[in-house]
Amino acid sequence: VPDLRVHRRSAPQTVEHILRGLPDWFGIEEAIREYVADATTLPCYVALFGDRAVGVLLLRRHFPQSAEVHLLAVEKDSHRRGVGSALLAAAEADLKADGVQFLLVHTVGPSSDSEPYARTCEFYRARGFVPLQELKLIDWDGPTLILAKTILPRGEECT
Ligand SMILES: CC(C)(COP(=O)(O)OP(=O)(O)OC[C@H]1O[C@@H](n2cnc3c(N)ncnc32)[C@H](O)[C@@H]1OP(=O)(O)O)[C@@H](O)C(=O)NCCC(=O)NCCS
């Protein structure tokens, strides 16, 4: 197995390629186009096996103390090989160095009964995210679950 590496770099074409390969999670054309556009402006992390890009993460910063995983996607053939975890770890290291205390993520909520998104939620919980609240109609036509994780303990944050 080639080494897994993570780089911070702009990669809109990689975002498009990976999202088009995940129709169970990203099936809405307009949403894909928005993520590709977002990839030209937001901080972007790319995971590579050798020279092959297998995963992407986009970050948004809301306040000095908090950030959000705007997009996280790993190509289907590379699931459960540590790619999503490596992308999160790289982003968290940079945010921690920048004094960010909380990392948030929005995903499809449990009341949607989506089996693929139930697995996504398992991943976030395994990575230390805690479910905070399920809200309806904030990102799409169905329920959104907001999860959060402490990345910098109280007292170590920048003021
Ligand atoms: C969710 C996703 C990013 C996870 O990335 P990944 O590289 O497959 O995850 P990792 O290999 O780093 O998994 C780390 C741990 O999370 C948990 N986990 C990951 N995928 C899981 C699954 N399908 N079911 C249950 N637990 C899971 C496990 O505890 C896993 O550790 P283990 O493999 O040693 O048991 C990836 O599956 C993906 O891109 N899914 C489709 C798109 C998506 O859901 N994006 C997020 C939208 S909000």
Side-chain angles (χ1 to χ4, degrees):
V1 181
D3 281 346
L4 175 61
R5 291 171 298 131
V6 175
H7 294 301
R8 186 175 157 179
R9 68 166 188 229
S10 176
Q13 288 176 331
T14 301
V15 167
E16 177 159 18
H17 178 74
I18 290 175
L19 296 192
R20 292 205 184 283
L22 295 167
D24 287 346
W25 288 269
F26 302 98
I28 303 166
E29 179 62 27
E30 194 191 329
I32 293 177
R33 291 216 196 105
E34 275 178 30
Y35 282 125
V36 174
D38 293 339
T40 65
T41 57
L42 297 178
C44 181
Y45 296 81
V46 180
L48 301 123
F49 274 133
D51 59 6
R52 183 179 161 74
V54 293
V56 287
L57 183 153
L58 296 177
L59 274 184
R60 278 172 71 188
R61 193 71 174 265
H62 295 296
F63 296 98
Q65 304 89 344
S66 64
E68 180 186 343
V69 175
H70 179 61
L71 172 71
L72 175 58
V74 175
E75 67 164 22
K76 195 118 212 267
D77 291 348
S78 300
H79 285 183
R80 295 305 281 273
R81 294 173 71 194
V83 177
S85 299
L87 282 162
L88 266 182
E92 285 174 20
D94 287 350
L95 292 170
K96 196 169 176 167
D98 207 17
V100 173
Q101 290 174 266
F102 294 101
L103 183 59
L104 280 81
V105 68
H106 288 196
T107 190
V108 170
S111 66
S112 72
D113 285 325
S114 160
E115 192 276 328
Y117 274 103
R119 284 185 269 135
T120 297
C121 200
E122 287 294 305
F123 165 78
Y124 285 120
R125 296 190 74 154
R127 294 278 61 100
F129 285 84
V130 176
L132 298 183
Q133 191 176 17
E134 190 181 67
L135 296 167
K136 300 261 158 78
L137 302 173
I138 59 166
D139 299 320
W140 67 297
D141 286 347
T144 289
L145 179 68
I146 302 173
L147 301 107
K149 169 178 186 175
T150 305
I151 57 174
L152 200 62
R154 196 173 148 85
E156 288 180 31
E157 74 275 13
C158 296
T159 48

